[in-house]
Amino acid sequence: MTAPLRTLGRSGVAVGELAFGAAGIGNLFTPLTDADAEQAVAAAWECGVRYFDTAPHYGLGLSERRLGRALRGRPRDQYVLSTKVGRLLRPAPEPAGDDLAHGFAVPATRHRVWDFSAAGVRRSIEDSLERLGLDRIDVVYLHDPDDHAEQALAEAYPELARLRAEGMVGAIGVGMNQAELLTRFVRETDLDAVLLAGRYSLLDQRGLTELLPLAAERGVGVVIGGVFNSGLLADPRPGATFDYAAAPAELIARALDLKAVCEKHGVPLRAAALRFPFGHPAVVSVLVGTRNAGEARDAAAMLRHPVPDELWAELKDRDLLPPGVPTPQEAP
């Protein structure tokens, strides 16, 4: 897959349209083998994916370790890797049970400690480099600072800015499941990127209210995660999940209506969901959580699938998208 590269802010770090989200290979919800994880990364690479995103939070470090192993031997100047800071991993005093309370099917040998201090940021990056087996990280995001906004702004962000100036990291940003605090970070800091999960999709356009226009104005690259809203837009049906909870009946009905219009135009709903964010000029990449080779290949194929302008027009005509939402234009 040949895709245009787009730069994150003024950093010089350029990413492709499709990013590999590595929470899945950290045993998100269910376990998988090291071989499964390696094959997922290999399949994504074969499909042209060169942007890989992970975090210490994902599987208590398992995602970083697996991703680092899977990328070992790949030309380091040919891919971009992002990880996150804000949660330090500490040995559990009395390891017992699993980490499923936090969503990961791994032994609870460590526990997370929230830390958005300057020292915590540096320590987190050092630990991540060790787990990844790398000597540099291309992009570092502050991870979910929802309840730690003031410390993140006063201590963590300035430290990331210093690390960027020192050349230890290439680009800096913030990753969250909400648009409001991301908007504040874009307004008050000099970020290169934000990672917005679940808030700019066919079902939820809250990111458009302030964040995306401000990001475009300030030259901040926006990476969109959660385009399937944790499953509903991948396979709308009774029992599907929306934002990691059971989807209400009215949202299921809306997703089924979206699917019907897409099928009328010969387009899988997944393809429309992946393409939709690129209607806004601030969006540089879409991140898809991937846990096996089949999912990696499917994401690449869906992003390549043509989506005609008529599809977007009908979605607006039927009030399935607001009239003012920007939609991608089909290439002539």
Side-chain angles (χ1 to χ4, degrees):
M1 178 180 67
T2 302
L5 295 179
R6 306 182 188 196
T7 303
L8 299 176
R10 295 177 296 279
S11 68
V13 177
V15 297
E17 287 187 331
L18 183 60
F20 181 105
I25 66 170
N27 286 9
L28 180 65
F29 303 130
T30 57
L32 68 155
T33 67
D34 289 346
D36 290 334
E38 188 154 348
Q39 289 163 14
V41 174
W45 188 277
E46 289 164 9
C47 292
V49 175
R50 295 294 184 271
Y51 176 24
F52 300 86
D53 175 76
T54 183
H57 171 56
Y58 303 155
L60 294 172
L62 179 62
S63 173
E64 288 186 319
R65 292 193 298 272
R66 281 176 164 170
L67 185 59
R69 285 197 298 268
L71 290 172
R72 206 152 296 150
R74 312 274 185 191
R76 185 63 186 90
D77 61 350
Q78 290 187 19
Y79 67 87
V80 168
L81 185 140
S82 59
T83 192
K84 306 179 183 77
V85 297
R87 296 170 173 91
L88 293 173
L89 302 181
R90 296 286 187 243
E94 298 179 6
D98 57 41
D99 190 51
L100 280 170
H102 295 97
F104 295 93
V106 296
T109 56
R110 296 176 179 84
H111 66 99
R112 301 165 182 84
V113 177
W114 288 102
D115 193 334
F116 286 93
S117 68
V121 165
R122 284 200 179 244
R123 176 59 188 272
S124 183
I125 291 173
E126 290 167 359
D127 290 348
S128 289
L129 286 169
E130 183 176 348
R131 285 188 292 266
L132 288 161
L134 297 175
D135 59 4
R136 78 172 193 276
I137 296 168
D138 303 295
V139 187
V140 177
Y141 296 104
L142 302 178
H143 197 188
D144 297 336
D146 305 67
D147 298 324
H148 308 271
E150 300 312 320
Q151 186 183 33
L153 281 160
E155 300 181 42
Y157 162 72
E159 187 66 10
L160 281 186
R162 281 189 287 270
L163 290 166
R164 179 178 58 185
E166 293 169 8
M168 273 194 68
V169 300
I172 61 174
V174 185
M176 303 182 72
N177 294 293
Q178 58 146 303
E180 294 77 15
L181 186 53
L182 284 181
T183 303
R184 182 181 173 190
F185 271 96
V186 171
R187 184 176 292 117
E188 297 182 14
T189 69
D190 182 28
L191 297 176
D192 300 301
V194 293
L195 171 51
L196 174 65
R199 298 295 173 261
Y200 197 58
S201 74
L202 289 174
L203 286 172
D204 187 336
Q205 294 94 46
R206 277 176 277 181
L208 188 59
T209 306
E210 290 186 272
L211 176 62
L212 291 176
L214 183 63
E217 176 187 324
R218 294 182 63 91
V220 174
V222 179
V223 178
I224 298 293
V227 291
F228 301 138
N229 287 119
S230 78
L232 182 56
L233 286 174
D235 183 17
R237 55 181 171 76
T241 54
F242 176 83
D243 288 356
Y244 306 105
E250 60 270 21
L251 270 184
I252 295 172
R254 190 173 184 86
L256 287 169
D257 287 344
L258 287 163
K259 181 180 180 182
V261 174
C262 287
E263 289 178 346
K264 174 183 172 182
H265 291 271
V267 176
L269 177 58
R270 301 189 310 286
L274 280 166
R275 180 51 56 188
F276 166 73
F278 291 105
H280 199 284
V283 174
V284 297
S285 188
V286 167
L287 186 151
V288 179
T290 308
R291 57 183 293 115
N292 57 52
E295 290 183 358
R297 295 188 184 102
D298 181 75
M302 290 299 100
L303 191 56
R304 288 196 303 265
H305 197 290
V307 182
D309 296 343
E310 294 78 11
L311 168 58
W312 306 119
E314 182 166 351
L315 291 178
K316 290 181 178 181
D317 288 343
R318 296 184 54 175
D319 293 326
L320 292 169
L321 279 178
V325 169
T327 51
Q329 298 299 304
E330 188 177 21

